[in-house]
Amino acid sequence: MGRAHVSTDRSVAGRYRLIEVARRETNRVRWYADDPGTGRPCLVTQTGLPRDAGVAPSRVLRATESVARLCPGRIATVVDAVEESGFLWTVHAWIDGTSLDEVLAGEGPFTRARAARVALELLDVLDAAHAEAVTHGELSPGQVFLREGAPVVVTGYGLAGATSVPRLTAPSYASPEQARNERIGPAADLWALGAILYTMLEGRPPFRDRGRPEATLKGVDRLPLRTPLRAGPLTQVVQGLLRKDPRERPARQAVREALTRALREDDGTTATALPGTVRYAGREWGRRATLIGTTLAVVTVAAAVLAATRGLPGGEGDPASDAPPAAASVPAAPVPAAPGATPDDGPKTPAPSPSPTDDADGLPPGYHAYHAPEGFSVALPGGWKRLDTSPGADGAYRVVFGADGDPRTLAVTYSERVGADAVAVWRDDVEPLLERSGDGYDRIGGIRATTYQGREAADMEWSADAGGDRVRTFGRGLLLGGGRGFSLRWTTPAADWSQPASREALRTVLRTFRPAPD
């Protein structure tokens, strides 16, 4: 997920002042914050809770303290935890490092040696916790912080089993047994370790986030693993850790030996500290600490400055790396600005041409205009919000919108590596992946060139299986020139395609979508 520069004067527990969103991911937001009581900066993690969850914040504190005693200096210090407004708010002492997901978003895949080193440090933490029968259960790149010249720091202990849902955060890193809502143990953490190792090597998770936790979990449980291409001698251990049956996953000692061999066989880079973004990020986080730890007057000024920057791009990436590619509720594409089909029932019905609109002017009742910091705006149905953001290389990103209890989704994808023929993008790049996805892909009608907002575009429509249901997707790809482009993908249950509300929503999206001016 990309950093969202959103300032706020909001406080948590009447004490911790939220300054800026540091990171967003599925069901979790991390904030830079300030503790006026101590004058020190801190990190506050906001985790969404299911209705009537009944989470005891003291559980998080006890679990973290227990593991911290077993693995000193490797577990982030939790100074407070409260349940407020349907969220669990966990307050961490400042961590002088950068989350692994942020490093990957900025740098892309790691070398094998670097990935093996991080995995070994994670394994040390898991070994200490598992020796006392403590399972993490929520491990993901967002829970792992890299530090220059020091071992990783892990957050998130105490969340597993705190509610009735199988996993609270990062469902694409859940183990299959979690996806089936079965009792979990250390093997679930080994699966997560394998998924993190896969992500470090391949630059994408082994199972993509499909926008809705339940759909993502079904994919983790049922879909086959795409063979890693960059793992080299680590391929066997990665595939072993990601076996669906927890009884078939390798023992920790076998994993440790395989990772250690990868370090020994490296050409000498293993003796160096984690390079690149970690050092840069350390300076950046140090700057944040200085900013947040100043007087409240300065904090107020800083918040105003941050608010002025919220229109800057988030630097997020290409969803092409989702695996396996599928036409699910949040379909993946190798080139984001891919084209799409008509919004009407029949493939031969012309797509609605856009008419000018000025933000909320002329919107259906309940709709609201959304201005994305990445550089686009669109009107969304009432109750809809940003569900997920997938980063990629070269400034590409995908943002998924939807609402709790609403099976429809809108995915907006941007790329700076789009071909010059909008029809060819769908035909040559996207459709072959959809055909190989195993999701019952079936194109509806032909791929048609069109003009959208005075620019070259193309439309394609298809149906597919997603999480046990049949869905229908309309896609429109828009070329901006210079290799840049957007794609809009509107997905609904196939049975609801002709519903007036869905038709109206698609028309409104196409009428109001606007890239930011160059």
Side-chain angles (χ1 to χ4, degrees):
M1 307 298 122
R3 178 177 297 161
H5 295 278
V6 180
S7 300
T8 175
D9 290 329
R10 181 178 181 182
S11 294
V12 174
R15 174 175 176 176
Y16 306 101
R17 184 185 301 273
L18 304 180
I19 303 300
E20 180 189 0
V21 172
R23 205 73 175 160
R24 292 183 185 271
E25 59 183 308
T26 303
N27 211 32
R28 178 169 56 208
V29 181
R30 182 177 295 119
W31 297 79
Y32 298 115
D34 173 68
D35 182 358
T38 63
R40 296 175 181 173
C42 55
L43 294 176
V44 175
T45 301
Q46 174 189 359
T47 305
L49 298 175
R51 189 183 301 274
D52 303 322
V55 172
S58 59
R59 174 193 176 99
V60 176
L61 291 168
R62 289 195 306 269
T64 304
E65 291 172 356
S66 175
V67 181
R69 286 193 298 268
L70 299 170
C71 202
R74 309 289 289 278
I75 306 299
T77 301
V78 177
V79 297
D80 204 353
V82 297
E83 183 180 358
E84 190 173 283
S85 303
F87 295 96
L88 173 66
W89 300 86
T90 308
V91 184
H92 291 94
W94 190 262
I95 304 172
D96 187 17
T98 309
S99 63
L100 176 57
D101 60 349
E102 190 169 357
V103 175
L104 286 167
E107 294 189 7
F110 285 7
T111 64
R112 293 167 193 156
R114 187 180 182 190
R117 179 181 292 278
V118 173
L120 276 169
E121 292 176 359
L122 275 176
L123 189 59
D124 288 341
V125 175
L126 296 179
D127 279 350
H130 293 168
E132 297 297 323
V134 178
T135 299
H136 189 293
E138 294 279 341
L139 199 61
S140 71
Q143 301 281 25
V144 179
F145 283 75
L146 305 186
R147 301 180 295 167
E148 183 178 1
V152 300
V153 169
V154 177
T155 67
Y157 270 100
L159 294 178
T163 72
S164 59
V165 299
R167 188 170 171 114
L168 283 173
T169 64
S172 56
Y173 290 88
S175 66
E177 56 267 34
Q178 279 179 294
R180 297 188 294 268
N181 205 9
E182 297 173 354
R183 185 179 181 87
I184 65 168
D189 285 347
L190 291 179
W191 168 282
L193 175 65
I196 292 172
L197 181 58
Y198 185 107
T199 302
M200 289 190 291
L201 294 166
E202 302 296 308
R204 54 178 166 79
F207 297 92
R208 66 183 177 90
D209 193 316
R210 293 169 174 259
R212 291 179 294 153
E214 59 273 20
T216 302
L217 293 172
K218 285 183 179 178
V220 170
D221 182 31
R222 301 177 182 179
L223 293 176
L225 175 69
R226 175 183 282 186
T227 301
L229 302 177
R230 297 169 46 89
L234 290 172
T235 299
Q236 186 174 355
V237 70
V238 169
Q239 292 177 322
L241 288 168
L242 295 177
R243 290 186 180 275
K244 303 284 189 181
D245 188 339
R247 296 169 297 183
E248 296 178 357
R249 292 169 204 157
R252 287 192 296 272
Q253 185 56 37
V255 175
R256 182 176 296 280
E257 290 172 357
L259 295 172
T260 302
R261 279 197 302 272
L263 285 175
R264 290 198 192 112
E265 294 169 2
D266 187 64
D267 60 3
T269 60
T270 57
T272 63
L274 297 180
T277 294
V278 175
R279 287 192 291 271
Y280 170 82
R283 292 197 299 272
E284 171 69 7
W285 281 58
R287 186 186 69 81
R288 297 288 182 192
T290 301
L291 167 70
I292 298 171
T294 53
T295 64
L296 295 182
V298 175
V299 168
T300 302
V301 173
V305 173
L306 292 170
T309 68
R310 62 188 301 176
L312 297 175
E316 297 176 344
D318 188 349
S321 58
D322 289 344
S329 59
V330 186
V335 182
T342 97
D344 297 302
D345 292 332
K348 297 182 180 180
T349 305
S353 58
S355 59
T357 182
D358 183 13
D359 291 335
D361 292 349
L363 296 182
Y367 280 66
H368 62 282
Y370 178 88
H371 296 269
E374 287 84 359
F376 67 87
S377 61
V378 66
L380 301 171
W384 276 44
K385 59 186 178 181
R386 187 182 184 119
L387 296 179
D388 192 27
T389 306
S390 299
D394 298 331
Y397 59 82
R398 181 186 63 192
V399 180
V400 179
F401 299 95
D404 295 337
D406 190 335
R408 305 172 300 173
T409 58
L410 169 68
V412 177
T413 309
Y414 172 79
S415 175
E416 297 183 352
R417 295 183 295 177
V418 180
D421 184 339
V423 170
V425 174
W426 284 119
R427 183 192 63 223
D428 301 336
D429 298 320
V430 178
E431 189 168 48
L433 291 178
L434 297 176
E435 290 173 337
R436 296 196 300 268
S437 69
D439 284 344
Y441 164 77
D442 184 22
R443 171 145 54 90
I444 300 171
I447 302 173
R448 295 192 314 281
T450 187
T451 299
Y452 181 55
Q453 300 180 5
R455 296 182 173 96
E456 180 183 347
D459 295 342
M460 187 172 84
E461 181 181 333
W462 65 90
S463 63
D465 297 323
D469 301 318
R470 196 70 180 169
V471 298
R472 185 164 169 174
T473 297
F474 165 79
R476 168 163 290 174
L478 166 66
L479 303 185
L480 302 179
R484 298 174 301 123
F486 278 96
S487 73
L488 310 177
R489 296 193 182 194
W490 172 261
T491 299
T492 75
D496 297 340
W497 181 257
S498 300
Q499 292 297 317
S502 288
R503 298 279 294 279
E504 179 182 68
L506 177 54
R507 285 194 297 267
T508 302
V509 165
L510 293 177
R511 181 167 62 89
T512 61
F513 177 80
R514 292 291 184 274
D518 294 332

